[in-house]
Amino acid sequence: MAELKNAAAIVGAALSDEMGKVPHKSSMQHHAEAAHNALKDAGLTKDDVDAVFTAGPGTLQLAEYLGIHPRFTDSTSVGGSSFVIHIGHAVSAIANGLIDVALVTHGQAGQSSRGRAGGDPTAMGTQYESPYGFIGAPQNYALAGNRYMHEFGQERTRDAWAEIAMSTRKWAQLNPRAYQRGDMTREDYDASRWITYPFHLFDCCVVTDAGGAFVITSLDRARDLPKKPVKVLGFGEGHDHGIISQMPSVTSLIARETHKQAFDMAGITHDDLDLRMIYDSFTYTVLLTLEDLGFCGKGEGPDFIKSKTLGPGGDFAMNTSGGGLSYTHSGMYGMFLVVEAVTQLRGEAGDRQLDVCNTALVHGTGGSLSSGGTTLLGID
Amino acid sequence: MSQQQSTPPPKPTPIPQQDNEFYWEKAKAHELWLRKCSDCNEVYFYPRDISPCCFSRNTEWIKASGKGTLYTWGITVRPPTPAFREDAPFVLAIVDLEEGCRIPTNLVGIPKDPDPEKMAAHITHGMAVEVAFEDRTDAISVPVFKPVDS
């Protein structure tokens, strides 16, 4: 097998022009704007792109809209983690000489298209879960979070969720593009309305319209491009169910497996990380992911979080964009994890820039806690 | 507007397929039936002709006892779609059936309260539950679960 570590690098990353509440733009416009901005950032043109990756609407629709005739196409769509997973796929193809420049895009009018979606009436979720009101992520994730509270203690879990929500908001306050930037106290968290018990509103991500894109090429070619290459050090992916009632244990994520391959490939450990971008559809998603990625043991997450300072100036930099909880969440949020990691690694994060950021972990979770993708990124 | 408020749209109902029409037929008769792999005797949910454990076509239907315990639950306060407007707050549940598989459902028979914490006081993980049926349409009844003592 070709050597995958350091075979390729992210050479461009960008967002769509407008994010938040953008009712006048379609999902595909967000894709196109982000792609345009990312290629410009990379110092490349559309004609350099020979491989396209996206999730949600497939690459057929995307590449047509962008005017690209790719020779490599990948519509892997396993929820919001997909774009994190695309990185490994692109690196594998680059390392084997199949492609030269990969474009990964995301765009979703998540807020403005709410309620428009129709599902396959014969899909398993539609047949067995929807009749009971298992519709949408808050329902599914709340069921899982409640079991965690039962197994590991209600109060300490609540404290951890509140801390995650509050510290993520503090980061958002440093990000001019964040959707929610108001102060959040513990009282505000506790008083925020119930969505699905045990989730308060502030346990749940925002819902926005947004797009993002990034460009990957070989490390050799990357060295000739304007921006400092963000090297892909390692990656892993997997899933262990589709619908929530089929999850083997609702307190254990596939992250328990995906991080091992990523760290092995990269030859680094948790202690080498300067930044962790952890998918935060809900506060519970973060708590569970930290445990399953091996930052602490199962059930130890609340104590681990208590022992760290997650917000700006702290000793455990995480979700520095303000996350899905406060910054942006279009529905398939994983793209924004990658864009923020690249921004931090290049030292372009403005007020929220970390003093030292050479190595970052990105972990996406998709579906109903179903899929996971871990990617490790680094800069010289 | 008031007219629109008066009757919520119907809840989603399954469209029986070849692999589960027996399941829904039995549910209509207020019976819960499950699929069992005859190679390894694992009982699984949801019904499939080919078992997910052994990937075997050697499978059979068995009638479930209808008894189980509450694996986990949540209380939907904000209705996910207008169809559930008049039900909220209601209890989402995943039940571990006596036969060894897990089923998504609703927990019914819990006193309704606008404050979900008051409802939660009546519900515990692991509590004993048993099947009941809700008639949704002329063709479809869905299995729901209620506390054994209620």
Side-chain angles (χ1 to χ4, degrees), chain A residues 197-326:
Chain A
Y197 177 92
F199 284 171
H200 287 281
L201 176 66
F202 289 162
D203 288 305
C204 307
C205 64
V206 297
V207 182
T208 62
D209 306 319
F214 55 87
V215 182
I216 309 179
T217 191
S218 67
L219 188 57
D220 283 345
R221 183 157 184 196
R223 300 219 186 273
D224 298 329
L225 294 172
K227 290 289 175 79
K228 210 168 178 185
V230 171
K231 300 185 292 185
V232 181
L233 306 177
F235 49 84
E237 67 184 62
H239 42 86
D240 64 4
H241 65 286
I243 59 177
I244 193 69
S245 61
Q246 299 299 308
M247 189 168 181
S249 160
V250 295
T251 58
S252 178
L253 283 176
I254 197 66
R256 67 188 175 268
E257 305 296 335
T258 62
H259 79 275
K260 291 179 191 159
Q261 177 181 308
F263 278 110
D264 283 352
M265 194 185 293
I268 64 171
T269 72
H270 295 72
D271 293 336
D272 296 312
L273 300 172
D274 302 308
L275 169 67
R276 305 106 191 131
M277 291 301 302
I278 308 288
Y279 202 98
D280 59 341
S281 43
F282 299 92
T283 51
Y284 175 56
T285 318
V286 180
L287 175 64
L288 199 58
T289 308
L290 288 174
E291 291 180 357
D292 289 312
L293 286 176
F295 287 101
C296 58
K298 184 51 61 188
E300 294 172 6
D303 299 328
F304 180 78
I305 284 166
K306 214 174 187 171
S307 74
K308 299 285 181 193
T309 304
L310 309 180
D315 58 353
F316 193 80
M318 181 178 87
N319 297 347
T320 51
S321 58
L325 291 172
S326 287

Side-chain angles (χ1 to χ4, degrees), chain A residues 98-121:
Chain A
L98 299 173
I99 63 172
D100 189 19
V101 175
L103 173 66
V104 185
T105 74
H106 163 68
Q108 196 168 2
Q111 180 177 97
S112 300
S113 69
R114 194 138 55 164
R116 266 186 227 159
D120 170 6

Side-chain angles (χ1 to χ4, degrees), chain A residues 114 121-122 124 126-136 138-140 142-151 154 193-198 243-251, chain B residues 11-17 20 23-24 45-48 70-78 80-81 84 90 92-94 102-106 115-117 120 125 136 142-144:
Chain A
R114 194 138 55 164
T122 69
M124 296 309 136
T126 320
Q127 292 199 73
Y128 297 112
E129 291 189 345
S130 301
Y132 301 107
F134 289 53
I135 299 169
Q139 276 67 247
N140 298 329
L143 281 161
N146 201 21
R147 178 75 196 183
Y148 185 97
M149 281 185 151
H150 168 69
E151 288 182 19
Q154 191 165 15
R193 65 192 162 90
W194 294 108
I195 299 296
T196 295
Y197 177 92
I243 59 177
I244 193 69
S245 61
Q246 299 299 308
M247 189 168 181
S249 160
V250 295
T251 58
Chain B
K11 290 175 190 166
T13 45
I15 301 171
Q17 303 296 303
N20 66 11
Y23 175 84
W24 291 116
F45 186 88
Y46 39 87
R48 279 153 275 189
L70 188 60
Y71 172 60
T72 196
W73 52 281
I75 302 171
T76 289
V77 178
R78 187 194 67 174
T81 67
F84 291 90
F90 63 94
L92 307 161
I94 300 176
R102 204 165 263 177
I103 183 171
T105 188
N106 293 130
D115 177 359
E117 287 187 297
H125 288 85
R136 293 279 177 91
V142 299
V144 295

Side-chain angles (χ1 to χ4, degrees), chain A residues 46 49 54 70 80 97 102-103 149 156 179 238 251-252 307 321-322 336 367 374:
Chain A
K46 172 172 83 75
V49 175
T54 196
L103 173 66
M149 281 185 151
R156 60 197 285 273
Y179 191 65
T251 58
S252 178
S307 74
S321 58
F336 304 97
T374 311

